[in-house]
Amino acid sequence: MDDETLDRLVVDADPARMPVDAGLTLRQLQARDRIMAGTYAPAAGTARRRARWRIGAPVALLAACLAVLLIVVPGLHPQAAAAHTPPPLVFTPTGQTPQELLRMVERDVLRSDAGPAAPLRQSRTVGWYLQLTQRDGATTAAVISPQVTTFSWGEDLSGRVTIVAGTPYWTDESDRPIPQADALAPGTVISDMRFARGGFEPPVPAMPGQTGAALAGSLAAAGYSPGGDAADLIDAISTFFSCWTLTSRQQATILRILLDRSDVQVLGTARDRASRPVTGIATDSTRFPGTRKILLVSRDSGRIVGMETITMKASDAVPAGSVIAYSLWDVDR
């Protein structure tokens, strides 16, 4: 993506309403980072070269929603790097239709005490980046380093965002120890930002309602436009979850909005990256051909607990079938 194309997309996504010399607002930073797929950045010229692909990086390091942000480092062959991305989840088909899944979700929500009693102005999201360590041109370490983004804010638009390193693991799922030089230690504070009263602009500032119409309005505030496809709707759900933790009944209503569509399919059951039993709901993007979105629903609570993005066609950056982003919600660790 060249600079002219990127500038045009930024303007289209969030037209300027302030003087040209004004600083970017948080929402404008979010809009910019949502569309920066395939971004290129140079690596540090050190003898012991560490190349990092940031995939699913926190939006502007200021919000909990995770955007697809891919950084290709010069001298690191993209195909070699992508070979170390997390393997796609393996789904076992169940033969469920979207409506059958919806009935199961509504039943699970009724019998589960998961989730808050009322919507909360906070979120906790686990994302990740892939860190490759190279010596003499050869990849010697490939580590997935989770990042836990916690966000809380007040009705007065004050808030705090912290990003903390999670527990890293080898991409080959080995249980050998990870050297400190190859990943941040769990608990390392990567970022801690505070916003004074009036200093934060959440994508969905109004208290979410309970009805389908009210929640559709919240999803519109989160970026979903009438006529958009199911992939756009899943992106809006992710943005919505960046600033609110919803009740299980609200989530079930959102799932009804999604599952009532004709452009979704139930993939079946799997274990997510936190080893939880989930059902996958998949849809292919029409705005970004070759991109598949998968929403993960807990088989225990009926809550939405994750989202994965997979590229279905090869590109200069990644081969077909690569997981280019994931985010997890309702994770304790």
Side-chain angles (χ1 to χ4, degrees), residues 177-200:
I178 297 177
Q180 185 175 359
D182 289 332
L184 292 173
T188 300
V189 177
I190 300 170
S191 177
D192 187 349
M193 304 192 70
R194 298 172 187 265
F195 298 88
R197 180 177 180 178
F200 185 74

Side-chain angles (χ1 to χ4, degrees), residues 111-157:
R111 64 180 174 82
S112 171
D113 60 356
L120 304 175
R121 290 183 178 86
Q122 63 184 48
S123 68
R124 187 173 185 272
T125 309
V126 178
W128 65 285
Y129 68 83
L130 173 66
Q131 179 170 304
L132 300 179
T133 300
Q134 288 191 309
R135 296 182 181 89
D136 300 324
T139 299
T140 60
V143 177
I144 297 292
S145 297
Q147 292 182 348
V148 182
T149 302
T150 302
F151 172 45
S152 60
W153 59 289
E155 191 173 1
D156 63 354
L157 301 185

Side-chain angles (χ1 to χ4, degrees), residues 33-115:
D33 287 353
R34 278 199 304 270
I35 63 176
M36 286 185 63
T39 302
Y40 178 86
T46 58
R48 182 175 179 273
R49 196 173 195 173
R50 174 171 298 160
R52 291 185 180 181
W53 278 35
R54 293 185 59 92
I55 307 176
V59 174
L61 298 182
L62 297 178
C65 61
L66 303 184
V68 179
L69 178 56
L70 179 62
I71 295 180
V72 181
V73 179
L76 176 62
H77 196 282
Q79 299 290 342
H84 296 285
T85 58
L89 300 180
V90 178
F91 290 92
T92 301
T94 60
Q96 275 184 316
T97 66
Q99 290 305 310
E100 288 171 341
L101 173 60
L102 180 60
R103 287 194 292 270
M104 186 186 77
V105 165
E106 291 174 338
R107 180 201 66 204
D108 291 342
V109 165
L110 286 174
R111 64 180 174 82
S112 171
D113 60 356

Side-chain angles (χ1 to χ4, degrees), residues 66 68 231 234-238 293-296 304-309 325-329:
L66 303 184
V68 179
I234 289 177
D235 282 338
I237 291 171
S238 178
K293 301 285 184 177
I294 302 174
L295 200 68
L296 303 177
I304 300 168
V305 295
M307 185 186 84
E308 306 240 339
T309 302
Y326 73 70
S327 37
L328 305 176
W329 300 291

Side-chain angles (χ1 to χ4, degrees), residues 8 14 25 63 86 88 114 125 128 139 212 218 259 266 286 290 332:
R8 177 176 53 80
D14 197 33
T25 67
T125 309
W128 65 285
T139 299
S218 293
L259 292 170
V266 179
T286 54
D332 294 331

